[in-house]
Amino acid sequence: MMGLLKDKVALVTGGSRGIGSAIVRRFAAEGASVAFTYLSSPDKATALCDELAAGGGRVKAYRSDAALFDESEALVEAVTADFGRIDILVNNAGITRDNLMLRMTEEQWDEVIRVDLKSVFNLTRHALKSMLRNRGGSIINIGSVVGVFGNAGQANYSAAKAGILGFTKSVAKEVGSRQIRCNAIAPGFIETDMTHGLDDKNKEAFLAGIPLRRLGQADEVAQACVFLASDLSLYITGQTLSVCGGLNT
Ligand code: NAP
């Protein structure tokens, strides 16, 4: 541990599994106090809190649906009451509901836009208040390489992730004068539950296009988050950092 996030308070959405849980672990290891949310995995959230508390970290889990505006406001109020402030917000919660365009249901479209895109508005809108009071902060939005390049079968997801990139740049321009930074991370193909369902044929095709010739690990995304959350990146805002093994090169 290098203490890169010492004395900072972070809020991470979707911290119960995958990339989110890796971010929570890394942030705690770098000395941050970490609040994180979960929705349908209470046991995993509790286990993560117990694991990090045993290591001396200050970590707390909150059940909160990131797609809901009012629930996000209540969450931010609870975290601010418990931790006093929010210095870092990571909008990580996300889902996929893949289908070819002609078969995609209205429900599949709406659900992905709500959970993957509206959530980013919900949390940013409310957490900004604390950051404006502190005259500083770092917002990190987890996008995806498919938000840049598109992907057959993922029109809903790609639209949400591309939306995140435009949102990130706009917020960066709006709050930069208050020393609040807003950046996006675009992961490529990372090994989590989300990509578990992909068949081997698909994986092989993906690997051929990845210069590093392997899938990424959740912790490798978490390390990029530490950089953007910490004072190592104080002059970086409005940017998208790809963590994709070179996939988009
Ligand atoms: P994952 O393993 O499926 O985990 C998703 C997380 O999001 C879980 O902790 C889940 O919590 C939470 N979540 C889902 N819906 C939520 C909601 N409405 N409110 C609050 N939390 C919610 O996915 P992942 O692979 O770690 O993905 C994390 C982020 O990275 C997503 O934004 C995803 O789009 C992005 N990403 C992933 C990849 C990849 O290859 N894996 C690539 C590019 C981008 P519960 O289980 O408690 O419900």
Side-chain angles (χ1 to χ4, degrees):
M1 142 155 175
M2 289 178 276
L4 285 171
L5 303 178
K6 198 172 158 289
D7 299 329
K8 293 191 195 285
V9 176
L11 170 57
V12 180
T13 64
S16 44
R17 293 184 288 117
I19 293 170
S21 65
I23 295 169
V24 172
R25 282 195 180 88
R26 270 282 162 195
F27 279 14
E30 291 296 340
S33 298
V34 189
F36 74 89
T37 67
Y38 63 93
L39 190 58
S40 55
S41 310
D43 296 348
K44 288 191 170 147
T46 306
L48 182 56
C49 284
D50 292 348
E51 170 196 323
L52 295 173
R58 202 170 160 228
V59 177
K60 188 169 174 182
Y62 302 75
R63 188 187 178 282
S64 184
D65 185 343
L68 300 179
F69 187 74
D70 291 346
E71 210 164 293
S72 300
E73 181 170 33
L75 167 73
V76 165
E77 278 169 11
V79 173
T80 312
D82 291 343
F83 290 90
R85 55 194 283 151
I86 297 172
D87 302 297
I88 301 157
L89 168 66
V90 184
N91 286 308
N92 164 79
I95 56 166
T96 50
R97 294 289 181 268
D98 298 354
N99 214 339
L100 294 174
M101 192 68 258
L102 282 177
R103 291 192 198 140
M104 189 173 288
T105 64
E106 184 184 10
E107 208 173 32
Q108 287 173 328
W109 173 267
D110 286 345
E111 212 181 335
V112 167
I113 297 298
R114 283 175 62 249
V115 178
D116 291 17
L117 182 58
K118 191 181 176 205
S119 63
V120 179
F121 162 71
N122 291 341
L123 272 298
T124 304
R125 167 76 170 72
H126 297 303
L128 256 183
K129 276 181 275 178
S130 175
M131 293 182 179
L132 286 168
R133 265 198 308 274
N134 306 336
R135 294 204 143 253
S138 176
I139 300 166
I140 301 166
N141 299 321
I142 306 298
S144 168
V145 287
V146 309
V148 182
F149 293 105
N151 193 20
Q154 290 197 310
N156 50 359
Y157 183 74
S158 309
K161 293 300 185 181
I164 285 178
L165 302 187
F167 178 89
T168 299
K169 292 175 205 172
S170 300
V171 171
K173 288 186 175 177
E174 215 172 297
V175 297
S177 63
R178 323 287 182 94
Q179 304 311 311
I180 299 168
R181 302 181 293 110
C182 184
N183 292 289
I185 287 184
F189 198 136
I190 311 297
E191 273 186 275
T192 67
D193 295 342
M194 188 178 270
T195 48
H196 198 69
L198 273 167
D199 56 54
D200 288 346
K201 220 174 142 202
N202 255 334
K203 273 190 190 163
E204 260 172 48
F206 255 113
L207 282 178
I210 301 172
L212 290 180
R213 291 287 186 274
R214 62 174 179 85
L215 306 187
Q217 299 300 314
D219 186 53
E220 292 172 318
V221 178
Q223 300 212 41
C225 287
V226 169
F227 171 67
L228 289 177
S230 77
D231 292 353
L232 290 177
S233 58
L234 278 182
Y235 203 51
I236 299 177
T237 194
Q239 305 303 305
T240 301
L241 176 56
S242 293
V243 181
C244 62
L247 178 62
N248 71 354
T249 311

